[in-house]
Amino acid sequence: MSEKLSPELLNVNIERRNGEQISDYLLRLEKMEKFVFHGSPKQISELEPRNPIHDATNNPDNKRTAVYAYSSCALGTQRAILQSRNDWEGDWDVVGGMDPNNPEIPLLMTTPNVSLGLGYVYVLPRSLFRHTGGYQWISESKVRPVA
């Protein structure tokens, strides 16, 4: 069963304001601390728990069948623009993070063979997720975006 909370149940206004840049909109939602962000190069109406394909950590929470999301909209955006790893040839590396001098600016460094493209950032109710450390949150249930 999928979970979806309406904006009314969250008791917040998540409408994008007239003339508001997408980055400002996502940052406004992030500052409410009621949402997490999932990025994908694919358009998805309902996010389903999946097994992580690549994880080089020893953290058991990074190996769960779950929907993975971030409390940072910038990190969700980074995931949205990374295209399928199946298309990358040879050795590759991706390092994402935040600019320490300006935490609202995401940093994404890749080797030249990593393809970037367009994608989607999904806004999800934080209350349906469990915090696993840092910016990462997981849900072991299906989740529908609220925006």
Side-chain angles (χ1 to χ4, degrees):
M1 178 176 178
S2 69
E3 300 288 338
K4 178 165 175 135
L5 296 179
S6 70
E8 297 79 29
L9 291 176
L10 292 170
N11 198 26
V12 295
N13 177 6
I14 63 168
E15 295 297 317
R16 189 167 160 206
R17 298 173 182 151
N18 189 26
E20 185 175 31
Q21 296 289 321
I22 292 173
S23 57
D24 293 333
Y25 170 65
L26 291 174
L27 283 170
R28 181 167 55 86
L29 295 181
E30 178 182 309
K31 288 175 183 173
M32 291 179 184
E33 298 185 350
K34 293 188 179 214
F35 303 102
V36 292
F37 304 88
H38 176 91
S40 174
K42 299 177 183 174
Q43 189 171 15
I44 306 167
S45 60
E46 181 176 67
L47 287 86
E48 298 181 1
R50 301 260 168 108
N51 286 321
I53 297 170
H54 301 283
D55 175 51
T57 72
N58 290 323
N59 182 344
D61 283 323
N62 291 350
K63 301 179 185 335
R64 296 187 184 281
T65 301
V67 175
Y68 288 79
Y70 299 95
S71 54
S72 163
C73 63
L75 293 176
T77 302
Q78 289 174 353
R79 295 292 184 194
I81 64 173
L82 285 171
Q83 300 303 294
S84 172
R85 292 179 179 151
N86 296 332
D87 298 335
W88 304 346
E89 295 182 13
D91 292 334
W92 55 268
D93 194 17
V94 175
V95 177
M98 310 301 285
D99 182 338
N101 298 319
N102 189 347
E104 294 182 351
I105 296 178
L107 297 176
L108 183 64
M109 297 177 288
T110 70
T111 50
N113 58 330
V114 172
S115 56
L116 301 178
L118 300 176
Y120 301 86
V121 177
Y122 298 97
V123 179
L124 308 166
R126 187 181 285 198
S127 61
L128 301 178
F129 285 75
R130 177 173 59 85
H131 186 227
T132 60
Y135 292 104
Q136 183 173 282
W137 295 66
I138 65 171
S139 173
E140 296 176 280
S141 300
K142 294 179 183 180
V143 184
R144 289 183 187 228
V146 294

